[in-house]
Amino acid sequence: MEHPDKILVLDFGSQTTQLIARRIRELSVYSEIKSCFASLDEIIAFNPKGIILSGGPASVYDPDSPKVDIRIFELGLPILGICYGAQLMAYLLGGEVERSLKREFGFAEIEILTDSPLFKGFFRDKKYQVWMSHSDRVEALPPNFTPLAKTENSPFAVFAWEEKKLYGVQFHPEVAHTEIGKDLLRNFVFEICACSPSWTMPSFIEATIEEIRKKVGPNEKVICALSGGIDSTVTALLVHKAIGDRLIPVFVNNGLLRKGEPEEVLELMQSLGLKVDYVDASSLFLERLRGVVDPERKRKIIGETFIEVFEARAKLYEGVTYLAQGTLYPDVIESTSFRGPSARIKTHHNVGGLPERMKLKLLEPLRELFKDEVRQIAQALGLPKKIIWRQPFPGPGLAVRILGEVTEEKLAILREADAVVTEEMLLSEWYYRVWQSFAVLLPIRTVGVMGDERTYEYVIALRVVESQDAMTADWVRLPYDLLARISNRIINEVKGVNRVVYDISSKPPATIEWE
């Protein structure tokens, strides 16, 4: 499906580049991300109504820093540079960028200096809170550019060549901490780029189904990696709508699932009309993980074993050439620098763990979506609430919630503890108010007292976070009485645990999962 109005985001390695695309899509305008190394011909062929240059970790004056073809500024398209993108615009067009005497990380206040289409709806006599993350700043503007706003440390916090529709902002409008961020992006998209809102989840569903039909030949079949979560479930339903019974949903019990999960998933898929091929490979996975401590090795072993199982299963069905997965944007950006020079955080089992010579072709219809977009699709498909708002569960399962070696004993302990957490969160109605809530089994034992006897048992860490897209997250301030109930129940009901602690770390600097 061709989109008449779309915004191109060029990625210079920022960890929030995907948030830019997401914010644009929230305005019902299609947005796509390409590497900052995309050629001018690629950019022209994309035919965008406007271009956004993302932030990035480099300094423009470094010889190896990523640059963009300077002819991009001669295309006559509106361009918005964000942080590094703003500095690069100023640098390439004749301005000066230098290391700032005072770095800006966190909240800052901008003061608007003049009227601009970028500031439609803003007030010149009011200061606005924005989120900064930079150590360089623009010291001198290029010819024809004028300052539009400033902060205490950045005299050119916003600047523009209005006639050419070239804009630079030192702060990050894409993050939730910038109070005017969404409005600023809206003004850029609608007032400056003159886009129309044509990107919707129903249109995505229609386009994706058509794309799958074109990609998968009439005699080809698809195996879908089904976990029961919203990502793989939506993936399976989209593929099923496209090719019908040529889809073979395969649910693999890897022995790393939560309490009662295999039975629940099979019952749920049956209610959705999907005929699931159930494979119990728990013994194989646990054998492969025996003695493994490093979390990266765990993820890669699990990913490789998953693919092996799927390939073996595919041999039982004639014509299987594709493996469908519910891979999302955050999985990709944290696994590999696939679009720009971003730093890899960790390998995801269904991205970085894939063998180099996989025998099946990949089908990933949700690869460019965030979790909230997938939930919108699920609602449009009529899925029940328990699927739409089911909390994310990592592909490697409980293996990355057991720090250290994975054993059957530790799995049994963690399953019971995690079941208590889920039950109490549902009873208190906090389950649907947070992004994730789960238990982590730590590789340490502590001294305790139970029934006048000394104990020496495991520690459970409770992790509860709020987030919009998993790119950033903050720990949730749960009521003390709820924390007390969870702790008391785990210690009293789960044999092998005598201590519960609460994780009060945010992402960044921590990640949501412990491994």
Side-chain angles (χ1 to χ4, degrees), residues 237 240 245 249 267-276:
L237 287 178
H240 188 259
D245 291 340
E267 182 180 349
L268 185 60
M269 295 306 118
Q270 185 176 7
S271 70
L272 295 173
L274 295 177
K275 298 178 181 179
V276 178

Side-chain angles (χ1 to χ4, degrees), residues 31 42 155 166 168 172 231 258-259 304 430 435 474 478:
S31 180
E42 288 180 83
L166 303 179
H172 287 269
D231 304 335
R258 290 167 291 193
K259 184 178 180 179
E304 290 168 359
W430 272 89
W435 180 262
D474 193 17
L478 286 181

Side-chain angles (χ1 to χ4, degrees), residues 253-326:
N253 181 355
N254 59 7
L256 306 170
L257 302 176
R258 290 167 291 193
K259 184 178 180 179
E261 194 162 18
E263 295 80 9
E264 291 177 7
V265 170
L266 292 175
E267 182 180 349
L268 185 60
M269 295 306 118
Q270 185 176 7
S271 70
L272 295 173
L274 295 177
K275 298 178 181 179
V276 178
D277 182 4
Y278 174 72
V279 183
D280 186 354
S282 54
S283 297
L284 175 62
F285 278 86
L286 293 180
E287 177 61 31
R288 296 274 179 89
L289 290 170
R290 191 181 307 278
V292 178
V293 174
D294 180 72
E296 279 291 281
R297 283 196 62 206
K298 286 184 188 178
R299 289 177 177 273
K300 290 185 177 180
I301 288 172
I302 292 168
E304 290 168 359
T305 306
F306 259 122
I307 301 303
E308 282 184 33
V309 172
F310 286 127
E311 288 184 333
R313 211 65 184 178
K315 293 178 181 178
L316 302 179
Y317 301 94
E318 185 177 352
V320 171
T321 55
Y322 279 94
L323 167 63
Q325 293 189 140

